[in-house]
Amino acid sequence: MTSAGTNRADASLTASQNKQKYSFNKLQKRLRRNVGKAIADFGMIEHNDKVMVCLSGGKDSYTMLDILMFLKRIAPIHFDIIAVNLDQKQPGFPEHVLPEYLESVGVEYKIVEEDTYSIVMDKVPEGKTTCSLCSRLRRGILYNTAKKLGATKIALGHHRDDMLETFFLNMFHGGKLKSMPPKLVSDNGEHIVIRPLAYCTEKDIQRYSDAVEFPIIPCNLCGSQENLQRQNVKAMLQDWDRRFPGRIESMFSALQNVAPSHLVDQNLHDFKGISTQNGPVEDGDIGFDPPTFASPSEPSDDTVHVINLMESN
């Protein structure tokens, strides 16, 4: 190749590298902004909190830990992080991967060893879904661990798509309008559980994980099972996302804009007590007029403060 040809190739390579770097920076900033917004919107983390970050070895929990570590450095409040992994003694589980990674990034961590794999394999008939029992066992162990560590918050890596999938699973198979809340009290009443990735899309998380090259550990216990209902719902949402751009965003906005008086739950709205009034009624029915669609509300002052902090870094 001539000198001129070499220079053109080098310039093309440099341009490509710059473009990739620019794209990654935008992705990283968007994820950090979404996590910061969720924390601000729902009051997930407070001054002097000790946040137990549940780390499975998958893309979601790695991304959550990575962003929370960044926010810890720039946040106007102080909070501590401890990463916790539950080693469920699955055959072939690479026990060295997570300790090596966590030591490399300099975060406090604890590996909890409990043989839930044998319990699940013993109790669940062959061919049946193991997820439910596995989840219950894991939840109890993590709650006990949080108590022992003195953690004030338990952070889980569920993202926006998980929340939508759960909504449709509950509607299709449970007869409920119910999803994963971004913040809740644990079922034993002793812990606050948060989902900092509530505003983050799975596509963004996957791209970020691929770019950063987290040492992913697959879940062979449940990930290898076929025809799970969640996988069916995920495929449905992905199909809608491809064919109808913007639909997923609209559905997620709907989870944040609930009108109880326009549903059919008598526990949420006093239908029997409805009566006429002399003036306009807030959220009253518009009769035969077509519905109007409003855009999501603007970020609150607290959210804007967090976003500004991140954009300055």
Side-chain angles (χ1 to χ4, degrees):
M1 182 181 291
T2 65
S3 176
T6 301
N7 290 338
R8 284 196 297 271
D10 290 343
S12 177
L13 179 61
T14 301
S16 176
Q17 291 172 337
N18 289 338
K19 184 176 180 180
Q20 290 179 355
K21 183 177 180 181
Y22 174 75
S23 178
F24 173 79
N25 287 341
K26 282 185 62 179
L27 171 65
Q28 185 179 60
K29 183 171 289 189
R30 180 164 63 249
L31 283 168
R32 289 174 171 177
R33 181 187 301 116
N34 284 337
V35 171
K37 184 177 188 304
I39 290 173
D41 282 356
F42 300 102
M44 291 185 183
I45 298 177
E46 301 165 285
H47 185 59
N48 286 332
D49 264 343
K50 185 172 186 178
V51 182
M52 188 179 96
V53 178
C54 298
L55 194 67
S56 66
K59 68 181 189 309
D60 306 328
S61 58
Y62 272 125
T63 300
M64 174 175 64
L65 175 63
D66 180 270
I67 296 174
L68 287 178
M69 289 177 65
F70 167 77
L71 293 179
K72 173 178 165 58
R73 294 195 298 270
I74 70 161
I77 62 172
H78 170 79
F79 64 93
D80 294 312
I81 292 174
I82 180 167
V84 170
N85 169 255
L86 173 56
D87 180 355
Q88 299 176 267
K89 297 304 174 184
Q90 297 179 29
F93 182 78
E95 298 180 359
H96 65 286
V97 171
L98 283 170
E100 289 178 359
Y101 172 78
L102 294 168
E103 288 170 9
S104 72
V105 298
V107 66
E108 182 183 357
Y109 72 92
K110 180 177 180 61
I111 307 297
V112 180
E113 298 185 4
E114 293 283 352
D115 187 4
T116 62
Y117 178 85
S118 296
I119 297 174
V120 171
M121 292 296 100
D122 179 61
K123 299 296 183 183
V124 179
E126 185 175 355
K128 296 295 184 179
T129 303
T130 62
C131 299
S132 179
L133 176 58
C134 179
S135 178
R136 288 199 302 273
L137 292 171
R138 187 170 62 245
R139 182 167 64 244
I141 294 167
L142 290 173
Y143 286 170
N144 288 334
T145 301
K147 182 182 293 186
K148 292 177 182 177
L149 295 174
T152 55
K153 301 287 171 59
I154 300 174
L156 303 181
H158 299 118
H159 46 67
R160 187 197 70 176
D161 299 71
D162 288 324
M163 296 167 72
L164 278 172
E165 289 163 16
T166 301
F167 173 79
F168 281 102
L169 281 169
N170 279 315
M171 183 167 61
F172 292 162
H173 303 288
K176 292 182 178 180
L177 289 182
K178 177 182 176 182
S179 181
M180 289 178 170
K183 181 181 179 183
L184 72 152
V185 179
S186 62
D187 51 8
N188 64 7
E190 297 179 356
H191 306 281
I192 299 293
V193 179
I194 60 174
R195 295 184 168 102
L197 299 180
Y199 289 158
C200 298
T201 69
E202 186 170 19
K203 288 189 294 186
D204 278 353
I205 293 169
Q206 184 66 67
R207 286 178 56 208
Y208 188 72
S209 176
D210 292 342
V212 177
E213 298 182 339
F214 293 126
I216 302 297
I217 301 175
C219 178
N220 295 321
L221 178 61
C222 59
S224 60
Q225 295 178 346
E226 297 180 358
N227 300 319
L228 299 180
Q229 294 297 345
R230 183 172 288 275
Q231 295 303 318
N232 294 335
V233 171
K234 181 186 288 289
M236 177 191 76
L237 292 175
Q238 289 175 343
D239 178 57
W240 283 354
D241 194 32
R242 285 191 299 270
R243 294 193 294 139
F244 310 106
R247 176 173 290 187
I248 301 298
E249 287 71 20
S250 180
M251 288 191 296
F252 188 71
S253 293
L255 294 183
Q256 304 169 73
N257 293 279
V258 180
S261 64
H262 285 53
L263 296 174
V264 199
D265 191 334
Q266 299 175 58
N267 294 315
L268 292 180
H269 188 71
D270 182 15
F271 291 96
K272 290 183 178 180
I274 287 177
S275 61
T276 58
Q277 299 183 23
N278 293 327
V281 178
E282 183 179 358
D283 203 23
D285 202 330
I286 54 176
F288 299 103
D289 295 339
T292 57
F293 302 101
S295 300
S297 59
E298 292 299 317
S300 65
D301 291 341
D302 286 343
T303 300
V304 172
H305 178 60
V306 173
I307 291 173
N308 289 341
L309 274 174
M310 287 185 292
E311 291 185 337
S312 65
N313 285 270

